[in-house]
PDB file of all heavy atoms in Angstrom:
ATOM      1  N   PHE A 244      -9.796  46.534 -26.956  1.00 91.00           N
ATOM      2  CA  PHE A 244     -10.324  45.435 -27.854  1.00 91.00           C
ATOM      3  C   PHE A 244     -11.886  45.564 -28.061  1.00 91.00           C
ATOM      4  O   PHE A 244     -12.288  45.019 -28.987  1.00 91.00           O
ATOM      5  CB  PHE A 244      -9.909  44.070 -27.153  1.00 91.00           C
ATOM      6  CG  PHE A 244      -8.530  43.612 -27.564  1.00 91.00           C
ATOM      7  CD1 PHE A 244      -7.444  43.794 -26.692  1.00 91.00           C
ATOM      8  CD2 PHE A 244      -8.430  42.937 -28.738  1.00 91.00           C
ATOM      9  CE1 PHE A 244      -6.276  43.299 -27.051  1.00 91.00           C
ATOM     10  CE2 PHE A 244      -7.184  42.393 -29.160  1.00 91.00           C
ATOM     11  CZ  PHE A 244      -6.079  42.572 -28.265  1.00 91.00           C
ATOM     12  N   SER A 245     -12.507  46.112 -27.101  1.00 87.00           N
ATOM     13  CA  SER A 245     -13.991  46.248 -27.232  1.00 87.00           C
ATOM     14  C   SER A 245     -14.302  47.328 -28.351  1.00 87.00           C
ATOM     15  O   SER A 245     -15.064  47.128 -29.292  1.00 87.00           O
ATOM     16  CB  SER A 245     -14.620  46.747 -25.971  1.00 87.00           C
ATOM     17  OG  SER A 245     -14.668  45.738 -24.993  1.00 87.00           O
ATOM     18  N   PHE A 246     -13.575  48.465 -28.343  1.00 92.00           N
ATOM     19  CA  PHE A 246     -13.924  49.596 -29.256  1.00 92.00           C
ATOM     20  C   PHE A 246     -13.214  49.299 -30.595  1.00 92.00           C
ATOM     21  O   PHE A 246     -13.803  49.824 -31.650  1.00 92.00           O
ATOM     22  CB  PHE A 246     -13.402  50.858 -28.643  1.00 92.00           C
ATOM     23  CG  PHE A 246     -14.268  51.321 -27.438  1.00 92.00           C
ATOM     24  CD1 PHE A 246     -13.955  51.128 -26.146  1.00 92.00           C
ATOM     25  CD2 PHE A 246     -15.560  51.997 -27.798  1.00 92.00           C
ATOM     26  CE1 PHE A 246     -14.637  51.649 -25.054  1.00 92.00           C
ATOM     27  CE2 PHE A 246     -16.363  52.330 -26.620  1.00 92.00           C
ATOM     28  CZ  PHE A 246     -15.903  52.212 -25.322  1.00 92.00           C
ATOM     29  N   ILE A 247     -12.153  48.549 -30.675  1.00 94.00           N
ATOM     30  CA  ILE A 247     -11.544  48.327 -31.962  1.00 94.00           C
ATOM     31  C   ILE A 247     -12.471  47.603 -32.873  1.00 94.00           C
ATOM     32  O   ILE A 247     -12.497  47.731 -34.165  1.00 94.00           O
ATOM     33  CB  ILE A 247     -10.232  47.704 -31.836  1.00 94.00           C
ATOM     34  CG1 ILE A 247      -9.429  47.806 -33.107  1.00 94.00           C
ATOM     35  CG2 ILE A 247     -10.369  46.246 -31.480  1.00 94.00           C
ATOM     36  CD1 ILE A 247      -9.231  49.130 -33.663  1.00 94.00           C
ATOM     37  N   GLN A 248     -13.406  46.754 -32.318  1.00 89.00           N
ATOM     38  CA  GLN A 248     -14.369  46.011 -33.200  1.00 89.00           C
ATOM     39  C   GLN A 248     -15.244  46.964 -33.922  1.00 89.00           C
ATOM     40  O   GLN A 248     -15.570  46.813 -34.973  1.00 89.00           O
ATOM     41  CB  GLN A 248     -15.152  45.053 -32.266  1.00 89.00           C
ATOM     42  CG  GLN A 248     -14.394  43.942 -31.645  1.00 89.00           C
ATOM     43  CD  GLN A 248     -15.282  43.088 -30.914  1.00 89.00           C
ATOM     44  OE1 GLN A 248     -16.039  42.143 -31.357  1.00 89.00           O
ATOM     45  NE2 GLN A 248     -15.405  43.313 -29.538  1.00 89.00           N
ATOM     46  N   LEU A 249     -15.774  47.959 -33.128  1.00 90.00           N
ATOM     47  CA  LEU A 249     -16.690  48.921 -33.763  1.00 90.00           C
ATOM     48  C   LEU A 249     -15.918  49.661 -34.890  1.00 90.00           C
ATOM     49  O   LEU A 249     -16.566  50.072 -35.906  1.00 90.00           O
ATOM     50  CB  LEU A 249     -17.246  49.900 -32.682  1.00 90.00           C
ATOM     51  CG  LEU A 249     -17.856  49.309 -31.431  1.00 90.00           C
ATOM     52  CD1 LEU A 249     -18.283  50.264 -30.454  1.00 90.00           C
ATOM     53  CD2 LEU A 249     -19.077  48.437 -31.920  1.00 90.00           C
ATOM     54  N   HIS A 250     -14.704  50.002 -34.686  1.00 94.00           N
ATOM     55  CA  HIS A 250     -13.897  50.776 -35.561  1.00 94.00           C
ATOM     56  C   HIS A 250     -13.690  49.989 -36.988  1.00 94.00           C
ATOM     57  O   HIS A 250     -13.884  50.548 -37.992  1.00 94.00           O
ATOM     58  CB  HIS A 250     -12.537  51.090 -34.974  1.00 94.00           C
ATOM     59  CG  HIS A 250     -11.559  51.882 -35.859  1.00 94.00           C
ATOM     60  ND1 HIS A 250     -11.979  53.109 -36.456  1.00 94.00           N
ATOM     61  CD2 HIS A 250     -10.364  51.640 -36.286  1.00 94.00           C
ATOM     62  CE1 HIS A 250     -11.040  53.614 -37.082  1.00 94.00           C
ATOM     63  NE2 HIS A 250      -9.962  52.755 -37.112  1.00 94.00           N
ATOM     64  N   ILE A 251     -13.274  48.682 -36.842  1.00 94.00           N
ATOM     65  CA  ILE A 251     -12.957  47.957 -38.042  1.00 94.00           C
ATOM     66  C   ILE A 251     -14.185  47.396 -38.775  1.00 94.00           C
ATOM     67  O   ILE A 251     -14.090  46.871 -39.898  1.00 94.00           O
ATOM     68  CB  ILE A 251     -12.032  46.816 -37.717  1.00 94.00           C
ATOM     69  CG1 ILE A 251     -12.424  45.784 -36.658  1.00 94.00           C
ATOM     70  CG2 ILE A 251     -10.625  47.431 -37.287  1.00 94.00           C
ATOM     71  CD1 ILE A 251     -11.433  44.701 -36.436  1.00 94.00           C
ATOM     72  N   MET A 252     -15.408  47.437 -38.018  1.00 91.00           N
ATOM     73  CA  MET A 252     -16.542  46.961 -38.754  1.00 91.00           C
ATOM     74  C   MET A 252     -17.102  48.242 -39.644  1.00 91.00           C
ATOM     75  O   MET A 252     -17.857  48.014 -40.506  1.00 91.00           O
ATOM     76  CB  MET A 252     -17.625  46.569 -37.686  1.00 91.00           C
ATOM     77  CG  MET A 252     -17.364  45.215 -37.212  1.00 91.00           C
ATOM     78  SD  MET A 252     -18.545  44.690 -36.008  1.00 91.00           S
ATOM     79  CE  MET A 252     -20.182  44.741 -36.950  1.00 91.00           C
ATOM     80  N   ALA A 253     -16.656  49.400 -39.268  1.00 89.00           N
ATOM     81  CA  ALA A 253     -17.083  50.611 -39.993  1.00 89.00           C
ATOM     82  C   ALA A 253     -16.210  50.773 -41.220  1.00 89.00           C
ATOM     83  O   ALA A 253     -15.187  50.109 -41.367  1.00 89.00           O
ATOM     84  CB  ALA A 253     -17.061  51.788 -39.077  1.00 89.00           C
ATOM     85  N   GLU A 254     -16.681  51.643 -42.072  1.00 89.00           N
ATOM     86  CA  GLU A 254     -15.796  52.026 -43.194  1.00 89.00           C
ATOM     87  C   GLU A 254     -14.534  52.796 -42.767  1.00 89.00           C
ATOM     88  O   GLU A 254     -14.555  53.578 -41.825  1.00 89.00           O
ATOM     89  CB  GLU A 254     -16.645  52.926 -44.177  1.00 89.00           C
ATOM     90  CG  GLU A 254     -17.809  52.215 -44.789  1.00 89.00           C
ATOM     91  CD  GLU A 254     -17.413  50.928 -45.599  1.00 89.00           C
ATOM     92  OE1 GLU A 254     -16.296  50.951 -46.187  1.00 89.00           O
ATOM     93  OE2 GLU A 254     -18.149  50.006 -45.659  1.00 89.00           O
ATOM     94  N   PRO A 255     -13.401  52.615 -43.490  1.00 91.00           N
ATOM     95  CA  PRO A 255     -13.292  51.966 -44.758  1.00 91.00           C
ATOM     96  C   PRO A 255     -12.963  50.470 -44.744  1.00 91.00           C
ATOM     97  O   PRO A 255     -12.750  49.864 -45.774  1.00 91.00           O
ATOM     98  CB  PRO A 255     -12.050  52.677 -45.373  1.00 91.00           C
ATOM     99  CG  PRO A 255     -11.258  52.897 -44.108  1.00 91.00           C
ATOM    100  CD  PRO A 255     -12.205  53.266 -43.087  1.00 91.00           C
ATOM    101  N   TYR A 256     -13.063  49.877 -43.479  1.00 92.00           N
ATOM    102  CA  TYR A 256     -12.682  48.401 -43.333  1.00 92.00           C
ATOM    103  C   TYR A 256     -13.818  47.613 -43.636  1.00 92.00           C
ATOM    104  O   TYR A 256     -13.723  46.576 -44.320  1.00 92.00           O
ATOM    105  CB  TYR A 256     -12.071  48.155 -41.900  1.00 92.00           C
ATOM    106  CG  TYR A 256     -11.009  49.136 -41.615  1.00 92.00           C
ATOM    107  CD1 TYR A 256     -11.233  50.222 -40.588  1.00 92.00           C
ATOM    108  CD2 TYR A 256      -9.738  49.167 -42.191  1.00 92.00           C
ATOM    109  CE1 TYR A 256     -10.277  51.126 -40.246  1.00 92.00           C
ATOM    110  CE2 TYR A 256      -8.808  50.093 -41.816  1.00 92.00           C
ATOM    111  CZ  TYR A 256      -9.028  51.101 -40.865  1.00 92.00           C
ATOM    112  OH  TYR A 256      -8.112  51.973 -40.555  1.00 92.00           O
ATOM    113  N   GLY A 257     -14.928  47.744 -42.982  1.00 90.00           N
ATOM    114  CA  GLY A 257     -16.283  47.078 -43.315  1.00 90.00           C
ATOM    115  C   GLY A 257     -16.099  45.571 -43.052  1.00 90.00           C
ATOM    116  O   GLY A 257     -16.768  44.843 -43.796  1.00 90.00           O
ATOM    117  N   LEU A 258     -15.486  45.206 -41.847  1.00 91.00           N
ATOM    118  CA  LEU A 258     -15.353  43.744 -41.601  1.00 91.00           C
ATOM    119  C   LEU A 258     -16.622  43.291 -41.044  1.00 91.00           C
ATOM    120  O   LEU A 258     -17.419  43.945 -40.416  1.00 91.00           O
ATOM    121  CB  LEU A 258     -14.311  43.528 -40.605  1.00 91.00           C
ATOM    122  CG  LEU A 258     -12.814  43.843 -41.082  1.00 91.00           C
ATOM    123  CD1 LEU A 258     -11.892  43.364 -39.963  1.00 91.00           C
ATOM    124  CD2 LEU A 258     -12.413  43.205 -42.355  1.00 91.00           C
ATOM    125  N   SER A 259     -16.934  41.953 -41.353  1.00 87.00           N
ATOM    126  CA  SER A 259     -18.143  41.302 -40.802  1.00 87.00           C
ATOM    127  C   SER A 259     -17.901  41.089 -39.299  1.00 87.00           C
ATOM    128  O   SER A 259     -16.837  41.360 -38.672  1.00 87.00           O
ATOM    129  CB  SER A 259     -18.343  39.935 -41.344  1.00 87.00           C
ATOM    130  OG  SER A 259     -17.274  39.060 -41.057  1.00 87.00           O
ATOM    131  N   ARG A 260     -18.963  40.795 -38.538  1.00 81.00           N
ATOM    132  CA  ARG A 260     -18.988  40.651 -37.087  1.00 81.00           C
ATOM    133  C   ARG A 260     -17.852  39.550 -36.704  1.00 81.00           C
ATOM    134  O   ARG A 260     -17.044  39.903 -35.764  1.00 81.00           O
ATOM    135  CB  ARG A 260     -20.314  40.178 -36.502  1.00 81.00           C
ATOM    136  CG  ARG A 260     -21.358  41.264 -36.689  1.00 81.00           C
ATOM    137  CD  ARG A 260     -22.646  40.731 -36.200  1.00 81.00           C
ATOM    138  NE  ARG A 260     -23.816  41.712 -36.433  1.00 81.00           N
ATOM    139  CZ  ARG A 260     -25.029  41.365 -36.240  1.00 81.00           C
ATOM    140  NH1 ARG A 260     -25.408  40.152 -35.942  1.00 81.00           N
ATOM    141  NH2 ARG A 260     -25.910  42.387 -36.339  1.00 81.00           N
ATOM    142  N   PHE A 261     -17.899  38.493 -37.436  1.00 86.00           N
ATOM    143  CA  PHE A 261     -16.935  37.434 -37.105  1.00 86.00           C
ATOM    144  C   PHE A 261     -15.464  37.828 -37.351  1.00 86.00           C
ATOM    145  O   PHE A 261     -14.648  37.647 -36.542  1.00 86.00           O
ATOM    146  CB  PHE A 261     -17.268  36.114 -37.758  1.00 86.00           C
ATOM    147  CG  PHE A 261     -16.196  35.008 -37.523  1.00 86.00           C
ATOM    148  CD1 PHE A 261     -16.069  34.497 -36.218  1.00 86.00           C
ATOM    149  CD2 PHE A 261     -15.473  34.589 -38.518  1.00 86.00           C
ATOM    150  CE1 PHE A 261     -15.124  33.566 -35.875  1.00 86.00           C
ATOM    151  CE2 PHE A 261     -14.543  33.590 -38.261  1.00 86.00           C
ATOM    152  CZ  PHE A 261     -14.297  33.161 -37.034  1.00 86.00           C
ATOM    153  N   ASN A 262     -15.326  38.362 -38.647  1.00 89.00           N
ATOM    154  CA  ASN A 262     -14.012  38.796 -38.848  1.00 89.00           C
ATOM    155  C   ASN A 262     -13.367  39.971 -37.966  1.00 89.00           C
ATOM    156  O   ASN A 262     -12.171  39.836 -37.681  1.00 89.00           O
ATOM    157  CB  ASN A 262     -13.976  39.287 -40.334  1.00 89.00           C
ATOM    158  CG  ASN A 262     -14.103  38.128 -41.356  1.00 89.00           C
ATOM    159  OD1 ASN A 262     -13.814  37.046 -41.228  1.00 89.00           O
ATOM    160  ND2 ASN A 262     -14.620  38.516 -42.598  1.00 89.00           N
ATOM    161  N   ALA A 263     -14.257  40.760 -37.457  1.00 88.00           N
ATOM    162  CA  ALA A 263     -13.861  41.738 -36.536  1.00 88.00           C
ATOM    163  C   ALA A 263     -13.298  41.067 -35.205  1.00 88.00           C
ATOM    164  O   ALA A 263     -12.380  41.583 -34.673  1.00 88.00           O
ATOM    165  CB  ALA A 263     -15.011  42.699 -36.300  1.00 88.00           C
ATOM    166  N   THR A 264     -13.948  39.964 -34.887  1.00 87.00           N
ATOM    167  CA  THR A 264     -13.568  39.344 -33.588  1.00 87.00           C
ATOM    168  C   THR A 264     -12.189  38.650 -33.723  1.00 87.00           C
ATOM    169  O   THR A 264     -11.503  38.308 -32.692  1.00 87.00           O
ATOM    170  CB  THR A 264     -14.569  38.219 -33.026  1.00 87.00           C
ATOM    171  OG1 THR A 264     -14.801  37.272 -34.091  1.00 87.00           O
ATOM    172  CG2 THR A 264     -15.857  39.053 -32.812  1.00 87.00           C
ATOM    173  N   LEU A 265     -11.731  38.389 -34.982  1.00 90.00           N
ATOM    174  CA  LEU A 265     -10.404  37.743 -35.161  1.00 90.00           C
ATOM    175  C   LEU A 265      -9.296  38.592 -34.581  1.00 90.00           C
ATOM    176  O   LEU A 265      -8.169  38.150 -34.398  1.00 90.00           O
ATOM    177  CB  LEU A 265     -10.147  37.477 -36.559  1.00 90.00           C
ATOM    178  CG  LEU A 265     -11.112  36.361 -37.292  1.00 90.00           C
ATOM    179  CD1 LEU A 265     -10.812  36.226 -38.618  1.00 90.00           C
ATOM    180  CD2 LEU A 265     -11.025  35.008 -36.412  1.00 90.00           C
ATOM    181  N   ILE A 266      -9.560  39.932 -34.396  1.00 92.00           N
ATOM    182  CA  ILE A 266      -8.567  40.809 -33.770  1.00 92.00           C
ATOM    183  C   ILE A 266      -8.127  40.282 -32.395  1.00 92.00           C
ATOM    184  O   ILE A 266      -6.915  40.566 -31.968  1.00 92.00           O
ATOM    185  CB  ILE A 266      -9.118  42.376 -33.605  1.00 92.00           C
ATOM    186  CG1 ILE A 266      -7.962  43.245 -33.289  1.00 92.00           C
ATOM    187  CG2 ILE A 266     -10.192  42.333 -32.546  1.00 92.00           C
ATOM    188  CD1 ILE A 266      -6.999  43.540 -34.405  1.00 92.00           C
ATOM    189  N   PHE A 267      -8.953  39.452 -31.793  1.00 89.00           N
ATOM    190  CA  PHE A 267      -8.668  38.872 -30.422  1.00 89.00           C
ATOM    191  C   PHE A 267      -7.528  37.881 -30.564  1.00 89.00           C
ATOM    192  O   PHE A 267      -6.816  37.462 -29.536  1.00 89.00           O
ATOM    193  CB  PHE A 267      -9.793  38.314 -29.784  1.00 89.00           C
ATOM    194  CG  PHE A 267     -10.825  39.269 -29.422  1.00 89.00           C
ATOM    195  CD1 PHE A 267     -12.184  39.313 -29.936  1.00 89.00           C
ATOM    196  CD2 PHE A 267     -10.624  40.274 -28.473  1.00 89.00           C
ATOM    197  CE1 PHE A 267     -13.072  40.216 -29.636  1.00 89.00           C
ATOM    198  CE2 PHE A 267     -11.553  41.194 -28.142  1.00 89.00           C
ATOM    199  CZ  PHE A 267     -12.865  41.203 -28.749  1.00 89.00           C
ATOM    200  N   LEU A 268      -7.180  37.344 -31.703  1.00 92.00           N
ATOM    201  CA  LEU A 268      -6.054  36.455 -31.883  1.00 92.00           C
ATOM    202  C   LEU A 268      -4.715  37.212 -31.530  1.00 92.00           C
ATOM    203  O   LEU A 268      -3.745  36.517 -31.350  1.00 92.00           O
ATOM    204  CB  LEU A 268      -5.962  35.858 -33.366  1.00 92.00           C
ATOM    205  CG  LEU A 268      -7.107  34.944 -33.665  1.00 92.00           C
ATOM    206  CD1 LEU A 268      -7.099  34.557 -35.141  1.00 92.00           C
ATOM    207  CD2 LEU A 268      -7.026  33.654 -32.828  1.00 92.00           C
ATOM    208  N   CYS A 269      -4.826  38.498 -31.547  1.00 92.00           N
ATOM    209  CA  CYS A 269      -3.593  39.324 -31.151  1.00 92.00           C
ATOM    210  C   CYS A 269      -3.134  39.018 -29.709  1.00 92.00           C
ATOM    211  O   CYS A 269      -2.099  39.296 -29.345  1.00 92.00           O
ATOM    212  CB  CYS A 269      -3.827  40.817 -31.377  1.00 92.00           C
ATOM    213  SG  CYS A 269      -3.916  41.250 -33.147  1.00 92.00           S
ATOM    214  N   TYR A 270      -4.132  38.445 -28.879  1.00 87.00           N
ATOM    215  CA  TYR A 270      -3.818  38.084 -27.636  1.00 87.00           C
ATOM    216  C   TYR A 270      -2.551  37.012 -27.543  1.00 87.00           C
ATOM    217  O   TYR A 270      -1.892  36.773 -26.635  1.00 87.00           O
ATOM    218  CB  TYR A 270      -4.984  37.500 -26.898  1.00 87.00           C
ATOM    219  CG  TYR A 270      -5.742  38.391 -25.952  1.00 87.00           C
ATOM    220  CD1 TYR A 270      -6.570  39.359 -26.565  1.00 87.00           C
ATOM    221  CD2 TYR A 270      -5.701  38.223 -24.575  1.00 87.00           C
ATOM    222  CE1 TYR A 270      -7.213  40.257 -25.639  1.00 87.00           C
ATOM    223  CE2 TYR A 270      -6.418  39.065 -23.743  1.00 87.00           C
ATOM    224  CZ  TYR A 270      -7.169  40.159 -24.340  1.00 87.00           C
ATOM    225  OH  TYR A 270      -7.862  40.926 -23.531  1.00 87.00           O
ATOM    226  N   SER A 271      -2.415  36.302 -28.625  1.00 87.00           N
ATOM    227  CA  SER A 271      -1.429  35.180 -28.695  1.00 87.00           C
ATOM    228  C   SER A 271      -0.046  35.743 -28.467  1.00 87.00           C
ATOM    229  O   SER A 271       0.762  35.037 -27.840  1.00 87.00           O
ATOM    230  CB  SER A 271      -1.460  34.489 -30.241  1.00 87.00           C
ATOM    231  OG  SER A 271      -1.359  35.459 -31.158  1.00 87.00           O
ATOM    232  N   SER A 272       0.289  36.952 -28.854  1.00 89.00           N
ATOM    233  CA  SER A 272       1.481  37.523 -28.523  1.00 89.00           C
ATOM    234  C   SER A 272       1.694  37.745 -27.047  1.00 89.00           C
ATOM    235  O   SER A 272       2.839  37.530 -26.514  1.00 89.00           O
ATOM    236  CB  SER A 272       1.731  38.878 -29.266  1.00 89.00           C
ATOM    237  OG  SER A 272       0.822  39.841 -28.715  1.00 89.00           O
ATOM    238  N   GLY A 273       0.599  38.074 -26.402  1.00 85.00           N
ATOM    239  CA  GLY A 273       0.768  38.089 -25.019  1.00 85.00           C
ATOM    240  C   GLY A 273       0.836  36.771 -24.203  1.00 85.00           C
ATOM    241  O   GLY A 273       1.569  36.715 -23.294  1.00 85.00           O
ATOM    242  N   THR A 274       0.240  35.725 -24.775  1.00 80.00           N
ATOM    243  CA  THR A 274       0.506  34.351 -24.258  1.00 80.00           C
ATOM    244  C   THR A 274       2.009  34.129 -24.422  1.00 80.00           C
ATOM    245  O   THR A 274       2.603  33.414 -23.491  1.00 80.00           O
ATOM    246  CB  THR A 274      -0.378  33.300 -25.076  1.00 80.00           C
ATOM    247  OG1 THR A 274      -1.696  33.796 -25.034  1.00 80.00           O
ATOM    248  CG2 THR A 274      -0.188  32.008 -24.427  1.00 80.00           C
TER     249      THR A 274
END
Side-chain angles (χ1 to χ4, degrees):
F244 273 95
S245 292
F246 288 101
I247 195 61
Q248 291 180 87
L249 306 178
H250 181 55
I251 59 180
M252 285 178 63
E254 295 300 330
Y256 309 107
L258 296 187
S259 67
R260 291 174 183 173
F261 175 67
N262 288 338
T264 61
L265 294 179
I266 192 70
F267 293 117
L268 291 175
C269 292
Y270 262 72
S271 58
S272 67
T274 304

